[in-house]
Amino acid sequence: MTPALSSLPWVTRFAALAAMIWPLATLLSWAYDPSWLSTLHPSFRTIKPVTVLSVLFCGLSLWLLAEEAAVTTVRRRCAQAAAAVACLLAGLTLAEYLFNANIGIDLWLMHDADIDAAAHPGRMAPLTAGVTFLLSLALLTIDQPLSNGHYPAQYAALAGKTMGGIALVGYFYGVRSLYQVGSFSTMSLYSATLLFLIGLGILAARPARGFMATLVSDDLGGVMLRRMLPFAIGLPILAGWIRITAQRSGSYDFNFGVALAVAAVMVIMLASLWVLAGSLNKTDGQKKHILQILQQREARHRLALRAGRMGTFHQDLDNQTLALSPELEVMLGVSAMSFGGTLTSFGRLIHPDDWGRVQAAIEEAVLNRGSYALECRVLRQTPPIEAWIAITGQVLPDAEGHPRQITGVMFDITERKRAEAALRESEAHFRLLADATPVLVWMAGPDRLCTWLNRSWLDYTGRTLEEQLGDGRMADIHPDDRAMAVQLYHDHCSRHEPFELEYRLRRHDGMYGWMLDRGVPLLTESGVLTGYLGAALDITDRKHAEEQLQQWTVELEKRVDERTQALQRSQSRLRALASDLSMTEQQERRRLATELHDYLAQLLVVGRMKLSQARPQVKDQKAQQLLGETDDVLTQSLNYTRSLVAELSPQILYQFGLPAALKWLAGQMKTHGLVVTIRSEVERLPMAEEGAVILYQSVRELLFNVVKHAGTGEAEITLSENPEKWAAVTVTDHGQGFNPDQLLETDRDHPGQFGLFNVQERVEAIGGHLSLISGVGRGTTVTITVPIDTSPHSALTASAAAVQQSRTRMGPSQRLRVLLVDDHAMVRQGLRSVLDSYEDLEVIGEAGDGEAAISLATTLQPDVVVMDINMPRVDGIEATRRIMSTHPDIVIIGLSVQNERHIEEAMLNAGAAVFVTKERAAVQLYEAIVSTVRAGR
């Protein structure tokens, strides 16, 4: 059935629903308000109760029979009962008309129906009764065919539908004779419509049988019928309506109308024939196209047969004939003329040793109504050689099951047979070669069981082939190795993978030898496993050598461990020695810096003080010039001494810690042409002195490496502290870089390498580590990470500004009382001689260190304290902080040989009022004391 006609079941359901709903609605209207029926159409007033009941039962029967697959026995009987009732009502009505009798069914429901009061009130119209009788008979016999295969129900339904359709056309044309028989009552529009739908529904309910099968078939006749049927029905009706309408309007007389109707029918028939001819031409074109496709497929089929070296045959068992395809004739080397076309003539082509087997296979297939397949040799005629073919045949029985024909195909398998023979020969050569080789060779099937062992294997184990086939060869494996070997063998076989395993195999003398067994899967081109092939090699000697080598390896590793431990101890001692040397160097540097600062620098300062005191006493111009030159020499000597002290051991590192020292170092590197940027995340680091010194020296060494080798004028220092209490200093430059692998070399001919190695050793000696990232043309980044001291570290209690704001000075006495604090007696003596020359100053005491200064400040209560910075026990900065915390009214003047900015800031932050360098003390000290005291009043 075409997709377009798949909606026919819905037509049946619609017709059945209409035939049930409309009668029910009519019955309800009679019960409540029958007047609304006449408003729809005047003929609705003539509806008879028997008609309503007949249509209702027909619709019910059609609904129950609509879907053939869902019709059960109970459902069929109910449908037949409903159809029988409708048939009985229609038949009784027809009997009343035929025999002019009144049975009494006409008066059913008459007391409520508004009907015409003509003769026989309530009686169904004869045309309606006839159509209903035909349709009810069709429903009763819908699934009952005649002996010739026809279904009378379809003809009854077609007749009933046609009469209902003619009545509808009569209403359409307004011709009463089409829906009325003689002088009897008319078929109402209601009855004509529903009966037409019921007839249509009956035909649509079983569309695949009878003459309806032609309509719904996919054949050419069905297609043409479906295309022409709407025109054959609709166009004549339309032409008739036009003719009648025009004649009634007076456009022409009756004769012209008849001529016009005939002409319209002719035109319609010609148009239908023309459309039919066009459709046939189109169908013929499609047929030719399909035929061409079939011919192409046949050609491809023939080509495939020739390429596959095969052909088809057809055997007629009744006529004892055998037809061969052209491909098969070529394959057998015969022609259609020379071949007899019988099974006997085909038997002459079969090798005499195989013909009996071929006949037996054919006879068995015919007896069992089945198929046969075999291989045999044929004596090819042209050229006259022996060939192999494979025959596959299928017996084709008739409708009664009797074997009538055999059809099949033959394959030329000569090449395959030759290949198999060559394979057998090759396998024989392989086995001969495998038996001659000293390697132990084995083969297994797809079931993993051993199928063959070479002579070497049998000689090695001393057992026969039959004893070792299957799983027998596994019994010779050492019990300790057997489970492992079997497990690995099965695991790899299940994955079709090559494998290699070692195990001990029992020899013919009962001893075990080591075997290296390798196996590979044998796979077809499609990946199907056909078995495994393996070879086992005796590696007993190699195993003994490996055991000896392993023993030597253990002894060697033991000796290497001993040498390594000795080397590590030596390295630890060397690292400790290097650390001691570094600390000794630092101590010596600090000692020399202290000597230079405490003695030479102080002597130079005192010398300048003396010169400053002597110059006012000398009036001679020449002597003044000599004193000035001497003062310049002392100034240069003092500056050089300061620089030398800073190079040997910067005091800022010991006084203010690593962050301040690195900032100072960055400033000093400007004199060497290097601009250093400092990024410090911390202000103070509570580190041990040793670690701080090594970090400072390491950074200084790295910066000088940048100056010497990086080829850049910029560098960056980053100082940070992580939560694990580790300090990290990173020195980065964007210079030319180098290969980090050269860091492991200590050849002094490579500049910069020994310095990095020295830095790494120093850092590791205090528990830190150094990381280096560099590359040629990509700059260098060196990160040093060392642990820091977690002990609490004192912080500044207040800034100098806060101290000065909180300071409440008491008014000084008439003469300012001054306390001198310096660890050098010579400097104190020089300062005293300078201050004693002023009448408004009085030196009331001297102290040689910070602790003595704190004690004397409490005891003597001076107005001014002149405080040196670098002193033993407690330095001047800490002493100033403590004095200012207890005596905020005392004015403290900071004094130092150093003229660094950070020293001055530290002294002022501790509470000093002003800072004066010792070289300017003879000139500036008095003014600093007086101006500071006056500013504080």
Side-chain angles (χ1 to χ4, degrees):
M1 185 182 296
T2 60
L5 298 177
S6 61
S7 60
L8 287 178
W10 292 101
V11 174
T12 302
R13 294 189 184 94
F14 173 76
L17 285 175
M20 289 189 297
I21 293 175
W22 188 254
L24 290 175
T26 302
L27 292 174
L28 291 176
S29 67
W30 286 345
Y32 296 100
D33 184 15
S35 61
W36 70 275
L37 290 174
S38 60
T39 60
L40 297 177
H41 193 272
S43 66
F44 284 8
R45 298 181 67 254
T46 64
I47 297 174
K48 310 302 189 293
V50 178
T51 304
V52 173
L53 292 177
S54 300
V55 172
L56 176 61
F57 283 114
C58 287
L60 177 60
S61 179
L62 180 60
W63 176 262
L64 294 175
L65 298 172
E67 189 174 355
E68 185 177 6
V71 176
T72 62
T73 303
V74 176
R75 192 167 182 172
R76 183 180 299 277
R77 289 178 179 176
C78 293
Q80 289 176 347
V85 172
C87 182
L88 180 60
L89 293 176
L92 290 176
T93 302
L94 290 175
E96 288 180 333
Y97 282 113
L98 290 175
F99 301 106
N100 195 19
N102 188 0
I103 301 175
I105 60 174
D106 303 342
L107 302 179
W108 289 358
L109 305 178
M110 283 295 294
H111 56 280
D112 290 330
D114 183 15
I115 59 176
D116 191 274
H120 306 296
R123 179 176 294 182
M124 189 188 312
L127 182 58
T128 304
V131 174
T132 304
F133 185 77
L134 289 174
L135 295 179
S136 59
L137 284 177
L139 290 171
L140 282 172
T141 62
I142 189 170
D143 294 321
Q144 297 176 6
L146 298 176
S147 59
N148 58 2
H150 293 280
Y151 286 84
Q154 290 186 341
Y155 295 100
L158 179 62
K161 180 180 77 69
T162 302
M163 287 188 287
I166 293 174
L168 289 176
V169 171
Y171 279 105
F172 181 63
Y173 288 171
V175 178
R176 189 180 185 88
S177 59
L178 294 179
Y179 53 85
Q180 183 179 13
V181 177
S183 60
F184 297 101
S185 60
T186 62
M187 176 187 291
S188 66
L189 179 62
Y190 156 88
S191 302
T193 303
L194 293 182
L195 294 175
F196 175 80
L197 289 177
I198 292 173
L200 183 62
I202 294 173
L203 293 176
R206 304 293 187 267
R209 62 180 57 162
F211 61 80
M212 285 296 294
T214 305
L215 176 65
V216 300
S217 69
D218 293 332
D219 296 334
L220 182 60
V223 174
M224 292 297 100
L225 181 59
R226 287 194 296 272
R227 291 181 180 178
M228 298 304 300
L229 190 60
F231 298 99
I233 296 175
L235 290 179
I237 293 175
L238 179 62
W241 177 80
I242 295 174
R243 178 254 175 189
I244 292 173
T245 303
Q247 184 176 341
R248 288 176 179 174
S249 63
S251 300
Y252 46 77
D253 56 10
F254 174 79
N255 295 329
F256 181 81
V258 173
L260 182 62
V262 172
V265 171
M266 292 176 61
V267 171
I268 292 172
M269 293 300 298
L270 286 174
S272 299
L273 291 174
W274 205 280
V275 171
L276 180 59
S279 299
L280 290 175
N281 289 335
K282 182 178 179 181
T283 303
D284 185 62
Q286 293 176 349
K287 179 181 178 181
K288 291 180 180 179
H289 178 67
I290 293 173
L291 182 60
Q292 182 180 4
I293 294 176
L294 291 176
Q295 291 174 348
Q296 293 176 354
R297 290 183 178 179
E298 178 69 15
R300 289 195 294 268
H301 173 69
R302 296 293 181 186
L303 181 61
L305 290 176
R306 286 194 297 271
R309 300 183 63 81
M310 65 180 71
T312 60
F313 67 90
H314 183 78
Q315 181 181 356
D316 191 334
L317 298 177
D318 294 333
N319 300 324
Q320 296 296 318
T321 59
L322 179 65
L324 304 180
S325 66
E327 294 80 15
L328 191 54
E329 292 176 352
V330 173
M331 188 173 67
L332 296 177
V334 298
S335 63
M337 299 299 296
S338 62
F339 181 66
T342 63
L343 184 62
T344 303
S345 60
F346 176 72
R348 289 193 292 269
L349 299 176
I350 304 298
H351 195 282
D353 296 340
D354 298 338
W355 174 237
R357 184 163 50 87
V358 173
Q359 281 184 314
I362 295 175
E363 291 174 357
E364 183 180 359
V366 172
L367 182 62
N368 297 327
R369 275 72 167 172
S371 62
Y372 65 92
L374 55 89
E375 296 177 356
C376 63
R377 291 166 291 176
V378 295
L379 303 176
R380 185 176 295 172
Q381 301 298 312
T382 306
I385 59 174
E386 182 178 289
W388 279 89
I389 62 172
I391 307 175
T392 301
Q394 175 66 50
V395 176
L396 303 177
D398 56 12
E400 299 178 356
H402 300 296
R404 298 300 183 187
Q405 298 175 349
I406 297 177
T407 185
V409 62
M410 297 184 188
F411 300 87
D412 187 352
I413 59 172
T414 305
E415 297 298 330
R416 194 194 77 186
K417 285 294 183 177
R418 291 174 181 174
E420 290 176 355
L423 181 61
R424 287 193 296 269
E425 183 179 0
S426 176
E427 184 177 353
H429 292 164
F430 164 75
R431 294 196 177 189
L432 181 62
L433 178 63
D435 286 338
T437 183
V439 179
L440 280 64
V441 183
W442 57 270
M443 291 184 66
D447 56 357
R448 309 172 190 175
L449 298 178
C450 180
T451 59
W452 177 79
L453 296 168
N454 73 336
R455 175 56 55 184
S456 298
W457 190 294
L458 300 178
D459 293 341
Y460 187 89
T461 59
R463 300 172 63 200
T464 64
L465 177 63
E466 290 75 13
E467 292 175 337
Q468 301 186 75
L469 293 179
D471 287 333
R473 73 184 184 96
M474 298 295 180
D476 291 329
I477 299 178
H478 195 282
D480 295 341
D481 302 337
R482 188 178 303 151
M484 176 272 298
V486 172
Q487 182 65 37
L488 289 177
Y489 173 68
H490 287 296
D491 289 345
H492 286 82
C493 287
S494 63
R495 296 191 296 269
H496 300 176
E497 294 177 349
F499 66 87
E500 178 179 305
L501 53 91
E502 296 180 0
Y503 54 83
R504 287 166 288 182
L505 187 66
R506 185 172 55 201
R507 301 187 304 195
H508 58 86
D509 58 359
M511 302 298 291
Y512 285 91
W514 279 96
M515 290 291 166
L516 175 61
D517 198 345
R518 293 188 177 94
V520 294
L522 302 177
L523 303 174
T524 63
E525 294 182 357
S526 59
V528 178
L529 179 69
T530 61
Y532 260 81
L533 175 64
L537 183 65
D538 188 352
I539 59 169
T540 305
D541 295 338
R542 194 192 78 181
K543 277 292 184 178
H544 292 163
E546 288 178 354
E547 292 175 358
Q548 184 65 40
L549 181 61
Q550 185 176 6
Q551 183 179 356
W552 291 345
T553 302
V554 172
E555 295 177 358
L556 179 61
E557 289 178 352
K558 182 178 179 181
R559 294 184 181 181
V560 169
D561 289 340
E562 294 174 354
R563 297 293 188 273
T564 301
Q565 293 176 4
L567 182 61
Q568 290 176 348
R569 289 193 296 270
S570 176
Q571 184 180 10
S572 299
R573 289 194 295 269
L574 288 175
R575 185 168 289 172
L577 179 60
S579 178
D580 293 341
L581 289 176
S582 178
M583 291 305 300
T584 301
E585 177 189 0
Q586 184 60 29
Q587 292 173 1
E588 187 63 21
R589 283 173 167 268
R590 190 170 184 182
R591 187 188 66 79
L592 291 176
T594 302
E595 291 290 334
L596 291 174
H597 176 273
D598 291 349
Y599 294 99
L600 181 58
Q602 305 301 329
L603 290 175
L604 291 175
V605 169
V606 171
R608 291 200 64 197
M609 289 182 183
K610 295 299 183 182
L611 284 177
S612 298
Q613 290 178 325
R615 291 181 71 176
Q617 308 299 329
V618 178
K619 305 300 183 181
D620 183 57
Q621 186 68 26
K622 186 66 174 178
Q624 285 282 351
Q625 183 179 357
L626 290 174
L627 290 176
E629 293 175 357
T630 303
D631 184 63
D632 293 339
V633 171
L634 291 177
T635 300
Q636 294 177 7
S637 300
L638 184 59
N639 290 336
Y640 178 74
T641 301
R642 289 171 178 164
S643 175
L644 190 58
V645 168
E647 291 289 335
L648 289 173
S649 180
Q651 294 299 316
I652 185 173
L653 177 63
Y654 303 101
Q655 292 178 351
F656 304 105
L658 183 63
L662 292 180
K663 293 179 181 178
W664 177 82
L665 178 62
Q668 292 296 313
M669 294 306 296
K670 292 181 180 180
T671 60
H672 299 280
L674 183 65
V675 177
V676 181
T677 303
I678 296 290
R679 301 181 184 276
S680 179
E681 300 177 2
V682 294
E683 293 297 329
R684 297 184 65 86
L685 280 176
M687 296 184 62
E689 181 177 309
E690 178 184 4
V693 170
I694 290 179
L695 270 180
Y696 175 81
Q697 290 178 345
S698 300
V699 173
R700 184 174 179 273
E701 179 74 19
L702 294 174
L703 291 178
F704 275 107
N705 280 346
V706 174
V707 173
K708 296 175 184 178
H709 312 297
T712 181
E714 297 180 355
E716 181 178 311
I717 299 175
T718 303
L719 177 62
S720 61
E721 176 185 0
N722 60 24
E724 289 76 18
K725 298 300 179 182
W726 284 75
V729 180
T730 302
V731 179
T732 305
D733 71 79
H734 300 285
Q736 59 188 12
F738 64 96
N739 185 1
D741 295 336
Q742 297 178 357
L743 180 63
L744 300 177
E745 304 176 6
T746 57
D747 188 358
R748 293 181 182 271
D749 295 336
H750 294 80
Q753 295 174 357
F754 188 79
L756 287 176
F757 180 78
N758 189 22
V759 169
Q760 183 178 12
E761 289 296 318
R762 289 184 180 185
V763 171
E764 291 179 355
I766 60 174
H769 56 270
L770 179 144
S771 65
L772 172 67
I773 301 175
S774 184
V776 178
R778 295 184 298 174
T780 304
T781 299
V782 181
T783 302
I784 301 173
T785 307
V786 297
I788 60 178
D789 187 9
T790 57
S791 59
H793 185 73
S794 59
L796 297 178
T797 57
S799 63
V803 172
Q804 291 178 359
Q805 291 176 3
S806 62
R807 177 183 298 171
T808 304
R809 293 183 176 275
M810 297 180 61
S813 57
Q814 186 66 28
R815 296 183 67 188
L816 297 178
R817 305 168 73 246
V818 180
L819 174 62
L820 297 177
V821 183
D822 199 298
D823 58 336
H824 297 90
M826 187 182 300
V827 176
R828 295 197 303 272
Q829 185 179 6
L831 293 174
R832 189 181 189 102
S833 63
V834 171
L835 298 180
D836 284 343
S837 62
Y838 298 100
E839 296 181 354
D840 54 347
L841 300 179
E842 178 184 3
V843 179
I844 62 173
E846 297 180 10
D849 56 58
E851 288 188 359
I854 295 171
S855 177
L856 289 177
T858 304
T859 304
L860 301 177
Q861 293 292 318
D863 296 319
V864 178
V865 176
V866 179
M867 181 74 71
D868 187 20
I869 294 178
N870 296 320
M871 293 185 298
R873 300 173 69 181
V874 178
D875 60 21
I877 297 174
E878 182 63 24
T880 300
R881 187 179 294 110
R882 294 184 186 180
I883 293 173
M884 294 304 299
S885 65
T886 56
H887 305 285
D889 55 331
I890 296 178
V891 176
I892 298 179
I893 306 298
L895 196 65
S896 177
V897 175
Q898 304 293 332
N899 58 357
E900 302 293 341
R901 179 63 181 169
H902 61 272
I903 296 177
E904 179 181 355
E905 292 177 352
M907 195 64 182
L908 295 176
N909 290 334
V914 72
F915 176 81
V916 179
T917 60
K918 288 184 179 180
E919 61 180 299
R920 299 293 182 184
V923 179
Q924 298 178 353
L925 183 57
Y926 173 75
E927 296 178 358
I929 294 173
V930 173
S931 61
T932 303
V933 173
R934 287 177 179 175
R937 286 183 174 178

